[in-house]
Amino acid sequence: MDRSASGWLNGLIGVVIFSGSLPATRVAVMQFDPVFLTVARAAIAGALALLLLLFFAKKRPAMRDVFSLVVVAAGVVVGFPLLTALALQHMTSAHSVVFIGLLPLATAVFGVIRGGERPKPAFWIFAVMGSALVCRFALARGPSAAPVGDALMMAAIIVCGLGYAEGAKLSRTLGGWQVISWALVLSLPLMILASIWSMPASFSDVDAPALAGLVYVSLFSMLIGFVFWYRGLAQGGIASVGQLQLLQPFLGLTLAATLLHETVTWTMFAVTAAVIACVAAARKFAR
């Protein structure tokens, strides 16, 4: 398998794993405080990442890589999980996953700024069209629907796009699983302290679905998914493979409907389909 095809395969696996993140977060945040959920998932994943790095005897990153790892940690270890957990207190996971349609554009923008990529002008036309559809959908629901949740999701998309692009750039030299592992380990001491501080007094009242949600976002969303995702972005290109994220709303909406029994409207599917069409066209001009 050539490098480009391998990049797309790894990216697709990562997207499939990430598709369960928002539904799992929605289940978990119904019984866990958003701050605890954020720091606990990072602490659990960070402990596992540390064991992996020690087992494979990986050398510490060079000092020149520390800034990038801090950016990755701020974006995908803390920023995106916390902002989405807070947002999901104000909206359903079905509504939130539509915002994922903005992630390819955010990732591409930061891919240019931080990754040195240069997509063709036509790429931006289609990418912006897709993003405009997502924004129009959010605004159409009215300012009183979930303005706080919408704002939090928009902020989450921005920091996540930065974390994706920064991690993909670093993965070219450090390796995909090492990037997320070192970012988790870098933030591990703070996450452990924050977990102890924000831990609920008792877990006896926490239902199995909430615990399952915590386990999923800790193991799959926070660690395993990034192993494939960063490798895919590094192999196939940030802007190009990043367009696979447009499959995530479809998968996320399906999970929200089947597992959480949330209402999924035809408007949500229509907007998602239109966004995918726009960014699929943009992919042709990504390089």
Side-chain angles (χ1 to χ4, degrees), residues 108-109 111-121 123-124 239 285-287:
V109 169
V112 170
I113 297 173
R114 297 296 301 166
E117 296 193 351
R118 294 294 182 267
K120 297 176 182 178
F123 168 87
W124 300 108
F285 306 99
R287 288 187 172 185

Side-chain angles (χ1 to χ4, degrees), residues 15 192 265:
V15 165
I192 291 176
T265 66

Side-chain angles (χ1 to χ4, degrees), residues 235-249:
Q235 291 176 331
I238 298 172
S240 181
V241 175
Q243 305 314 300
L244 282 170
Q245 293 167 108
L246 266 299
L247 295 174
Q248 194 169 329

Side-chain angles (χ1 to χ4, degrees), residues 125-195:
I125 295 175
F126 288 108
V128 170
M129 285 174 59
S131 299
L133 286 169
V134 175
C135 293
R136 180 69 182 87
F137 168 79
L139 293 173
R141 297 177 67 84
S144 61
V148 175
D150 288 350
L152 289 168
M153 280 303 302
M154 289 294 293
I157 294 302
I158 293 173
V159 299
C160 188
L162 173 59
Y164 279 175
E166 193 72 29
K169 182 189 73 169
L170 194 55
S171 294
R172 296 168 183 167
T173 56
L174 197 58
W177 76 269
Q178 291 97 318
V179 168
I180 189 60
S181 294
W182 283 116
L184 286 165
V185 169
L186 186 66
S187 55
L188 183 58
L190 180 60
M191 295 300 101
I192 291 176
L193 290 175
S195 296

Side-chain angles (χ1 to χ4, degrees), residues 91 95-103 134 138 149-150 153-154 157:
M91 62 174 66
H95 180 72
S96 68
V97 297
V98 178
F99 284 85
I100 301 301
L102 292 168
L103 257 179
V134 175
D150 288 350
M153 280 303 302
M154 289 294 293
I157 294 302

